[in-house]
Amino acid sequence: MLQYLIRLDDLCPTNNLQKWQRFFTLFDKYGIKPIIAVIPANKDPKLKACGNFNPYYWQLVRELQNQNYVIGMHGFDHYYINHNSGLLKMNNRSEFAGLPLQTQKEKIRKAAQIFKRENINPTVFIAPAHTFDRNTLLALHEYTDIKIISDGLLKSPYVRFGFNWVPVQLSEVEQKTKHTWTFNYHPETCSDKTFAELEIFIEKNHHLFVSLDDLDFSNYTWADALAEKYCIYKRLARDYAQKAIAFLERVPAGN
């Protein structure tokens, strides 16, 4: 079986809404219900510089929720404070990974309070930069009703640490033949060319896009652990090789 999902990251009060609206229009045309990574209290300076402050931000989030878009808790403030790469070794920066449990609990508690105040019910957790650890999951368990983690590197959804995991493997559309794949887009930085490719892909494959309710979750096995570690270390080796090549290209000849 082949299934696709799509996730949009970094919804916050200072988005360039024109960039987001073209995604919403496309999804609504084909009845696709994306996962939206909503930042409760953004402090990311790059995102603050994207557009003017939207006083109707939470109204927009409620409208998306009313359209049955999947609302995800995208951390608390999206501000990276260390270089811990977390469980998945995805990036060398994090809002959560490596922090004490109590600190992470406070972040999750505050995020949950904001969503509750705004009558928003996030059903998915989405860690900024894909970086989080076991303490993050413990905090989610204590302060939220969230049971789904939008992350992981396997080819199908699975159950681990008491949560349902929906892997996020691709940053752009790519034709597959089987399994479940999540495409992860950032509207603020998505180029016109990349968006045009997404439009063409969805036009041809919209019938293969599913909702979270359509997914089946299997238990995480030792074979899954090996497969995920292989994916992690393959990517780390590739990144190391790319950095080494870039360094050597900068070194003057004869040195």
Side-chain angles (χ1 to χ4, degrees):
M1 180 184 294
L2 175 61
Q3 301 175 118
Y4 295 128
L5 298 104
I6 192 162
R7 190 180 103 186
L8 301 185
D9 279 12
D10 301 342
L11 190 67
C12 71
T14 49
N15 290 132
N16 181 331
L17 291 180
Q18 286 185 326
K19 294 183 177 181
W20 284 77
Q21 188 57 54
R22 61 179 180 174
F23 281 88
F24 299 153
T25 301
L26 176 61
F27 298 153
D28 293 345
K29 179 179 179 180
Y30 293 101
I32 294 172
K33 305 301 180 184
I35 301 167
I36 306 294
V38 176
I39 305 173
N42 180 54
K43 291 184 180 178
D44 187 326
K46 290 183 178 180
L47 292 175
K48 282 188 173 183
C50 290
N52 296 324
F53 180 80
N54 176 15
Y56 305 106
Y57 171 63
W58 287 109
Q59 179 179 323
L60 169 63
V61 179
R62 284 189 290 273
E63 289 173 355
L64 297 177
Q65 179 175 256
N66 290 338
Q67 291 176 237
N68 293 320
Y69 282 25
V70 178
I71 305 300
M73 177 189 287
H74 197 27
F76 171 56
D77 56 22
H78 207 276
Y79 190 78
Y80 303 123
I81 57 178
N82 64 30
H83 298 290
N84 194 308
S85 57
L87 286 171
L88 299 175
K89 312 297 180 188
M90 290 285 283
N91 291 292
N92 191 27
R93 61 187 185 277
S94 186
E95 179 188 343
F96 289 94
L99 296 184
L101 175 59
Q102 196 57 43
T103 303
Q104 297 205 45
K105 282 185 176 181
E106 188 65 9
K107 281 177 170 286
I108 297 298
R109 184 185 68 81
K110 289 180 178 179
Q113 282 185 334
I114 292 172
F115 281 113
K116 184 176 181 180
R117 181 194 72 200
E118 299 298 337
N119 295 316
I120 305 296
N121 180 34
T123 56
V124 176
F125 179 74
I126 301 165
H130 305 273
T131 49
F132 59 103
D133 58 20
R134 290 292 300 277
N135 281 342
T136 319
L137 302 180
L138 290 172
L140 285 168
H141 178 74
E142 182 166 344
Y143 287 105
T144 77
D145 294 325
I146 291 173
K147 301 301 181 186
I148 298 175
I149 304 297
S150 175
D151 233 321
L153 300 168
L154 299 180
K155 295 179 180 179
S156 298
Y158 56 91
V159 181
R160 189 186 187 197
F161 300 137
F163 289 86
N164 291 336
W165 296 58
V166 181
V168 181
Q169 313 97 329
L170 299 167
S171 58
E172 296 178 10
V173 288
E174 182 178 321
Q175 191 70 56
K176 298 293 183 178
T177 57
K178 60 181 178 178
H179 301 303
T180 301
W181 303 89
T182 302
F183 307 126
N184 184 198
Y185 282 80
H186 293 72
E188 296 295 340
T189 56
C190 180
S191 69
D192 292 342
K193 177 178 179 293
T194 298
F195 183 78
E197 292 170 350
L198 172 64
E199 281 187 298
I200 293 170
F201 185 90
I202 286 180
E203 182 180 1
K204 294 179 179 178
N205 299 280
H206 58 89
H207 60 289
L208 295 172
F209 281 80
V210 299
S211 68
L212 294 181
D213 292 338
D214 297 318
L215 301 180
D216 293 321
F217 295 84
S218 59
N219 288 326
Y220 188 84
T221 66
W222 65 268
D224 292 329
L226 290 176
E228 196 152 55
K229 286 187 181 298
Y230 172 78
C231 291
I232 289 171
Y233 288 107
K234 179 182 178 182
R235 186 189 65 250
L236 290 174
R238 182 193 64 219
D239 292 347
Y240 178 82
Q242 290 174 343
K243 290 178 181 177
I245 292 171
F247 174 77
L248 291 173
E249 289 176 344
R250 293 196 301 267
V251 176
N255 285 8

